[in-house]
Amino acid sequence: MMTSSYSNSPCAACKFLRRKCNQDCIFAPYFPPEEPKKFANVHKVFGASNVSKLLNEVLPHQREDTVNSLAYEAEARIKDPVYGCVGFISGLQRQLLGLQKELDATNADLIQFTIQGSSSLGLGHVDYSNGFYNYPSNFEQ
Amino acid sequence: MASSSSYNSPCAACKFLRRKCMPGCIFAPYFPPEEPQKFANVHKIFGASNVTKILNELLPHQREDAVNSLAYEAEARVRDPVYGCVGAISFLQRQVQRLQKELDSANADLLRFAYNDSSLPPLPPLVVPASFHHHHHHQQLTPQRQLQFGSRFGNGGNIDGSGFYSFPYAIPWNDTSSDDLSGGVGGRGGGVGGGNL
């Protein structure tokens, strides 16, 4: 009977590869049999032997994150074969630039406001009790 | 003497694989001999046959961008074997959230000052109306499954004192795509953003 190191059934990798799942199977902790798509995607994009090499290059406590990031990249590449997750990076960088510009503009408005009062925001003429805010007549004196 | 379809010397792929670079070599247009590291990285992470399969599934005009994005991912993975370019995504998402909070706070301050300084009655709870967010997109760019990794997101970049990440990898092509942030680059709409991961 096939066994994996963690369950009584072969891991998703060994099931996919149709091989015996040994107790020291490097894939077994990270590709449980109930998530067959995860290994299928990773195999399609990276290949089993490349994944195995990558896992052997990192420390055991890093392997779970390694597999999860590979799975994420593989899924992104399958959904978008041209750009994969790099398209998402590009979008995020543009979004950050846009937000930064908007923040700079808002901060500039705030500074204007504190210097000149609410009339600088185009809120219309507001009658203040003291003359200080009667822009522009007071400003020109 | 080996020849590639475009150069007098074998392309970087055929040189690496030590094979004759035939006319019509699928790698030759995208892996020039003067960039050996590009193919070496892609081969290490994806493997030559996987790259061939991916390229064969695409139209010819899409292949250059596909190779460049694969090279980008491969280089990121070589630099950071644990997170690859996913570490950068995680970081950028946090930056977006941080900036969004700052922007909301600045807009709220602006609104508060405007109301406090006018003759209008005070507002009860402070609510920033949607129309105040000029030019701001309310699209949910981040994928529905947030990335949950360890606190280490990658070691390939520099974080200066202000916390801004100077991402080490420049996008390797001219990004002329639209600003449709939900679909990623290229207008295919197939990017990870907003997708069901």
Side-chain angles (χ1 to χ4, degrees), chain A residues 45-46 50 57 65-66 69 72-73 76-77 79-80 82-83 85 88 90 94-95 99 102-103 113 128, chain B residues 44-46 50 65-66 69 73 77 82-83 85 100 102 113 117 134 141 143 147 175 185 190 192 196:
Chain A
V45 175
F46 296 100
N50 285 341
E57 283 176 7
D65 280 354
T66 303
S69 67
Y72 186 96
E73 278 191 49
R77 181 61 62 174
K79 289 191 180 211
D80 183 356
V82 181
Y83 296 103
C85 66
F88 192 48
S90 180
R94 283 201 307 279
Q95 189 182 19
L99 282 172
E102 210 171 326
L103 185 61
F113 186 89
Y128 296 97
Chain B
K44 177 181 167 136
I45 301 302
F46 296 100
N50 283 344
D65 279 354
S69 67
E73 277 189 51
R77 184 61 64 173
V82 180
Y83 296 103
C85 66
Q100 187 61 64
E102 276 186 49
F113 286 138
D117 214 33
H134 53 90
L141 177 70
L147 294 175
D175 185 0
V185 176
V192 173
N196 296 315

Side-chain angles (χ1 to χ4, degrees), chain B residues 13-41:
Chain B
C14 292
K15 240 177 170 172
F16 186 95
L17 299 168
R18 297 183 195 202
R19 67 183 195 192
K20 189 172 177 186
C21 193
M22 305 293 288
C25 168
I26 195 169
F27 297 123
Y30 317 110
F31 294 102
E34 52 273 8
E35 293 180 55
Q37 197 57 44
K38 186 177 177 185
F39 184 79
N41 290 342

Side-chain angles (χ1 to χ4, degrees), chain A residues 14-137:
Chain A
C14 292
K15 238 176 176 175
F16 186 95
L17 299 167
R18 298 183 195 200
R19 67 183 197 190
K20 187 172 176 187
C21 191
N22 294 320
Q23 285 210 327
D24 57 354
C25 171
I26 195 168
F27 299 121
Y30 317 110
F31 294 102
E34 53 273 9
E35 292 179 55
K37 200 86 176 100
K38 188 176 174 185
F39 184 79
N41 289 346
V42 163
H43 180 264
K44 178 177 171 142
V45 175
F46 296 100
S49 61
N50 285 341
V51 174
S52 173
K53 276 188 237 167
L54 278 168
L55 290 181
N56 280 320
E57 283 176 7
V58 302
L59 298 171
H61 72 275
Q62 297 173 315
R63 287 177 183 162
E64 186 172 7
D65 280 354
T66 303
V67 164
N68 288 340
S69 67
L70 288 169
Y72 186 96
E73 278 191 49
E75 192 171 357
R77 181 61 62 174
I78 287 167
K79 289 191 180 211
D80 183 356
V82 181
Y83 296 103
C85 66
V86 176
F88 192 48
I89 290 177
S90 180
L92 281 170
Q93 286 176 328
R94 283 201 307 279
Q95 189 182 19
L96 268 182
L97 275 175
L99 282 172
Q100 188 64 61
K101 277 186 189 161
E102 210 171 326
L103 185 61
D104 291 344
T106 305
N107 283 334
D109 283 346
L110 271 171
I111 290 169
Q112 279 288 99
F113 186 89
T114 53
I115 293 170
Q116 294 178 3
S118 64
S119 60
S120 69
L121 294 178
L123 294 178
H125 176 75
V126 179
D127 189 23
Y128 296 97
S129 55
N130 65 41
F132 181 74
Y133 295 114
N134 286 338
Y135 181 83
S137 58

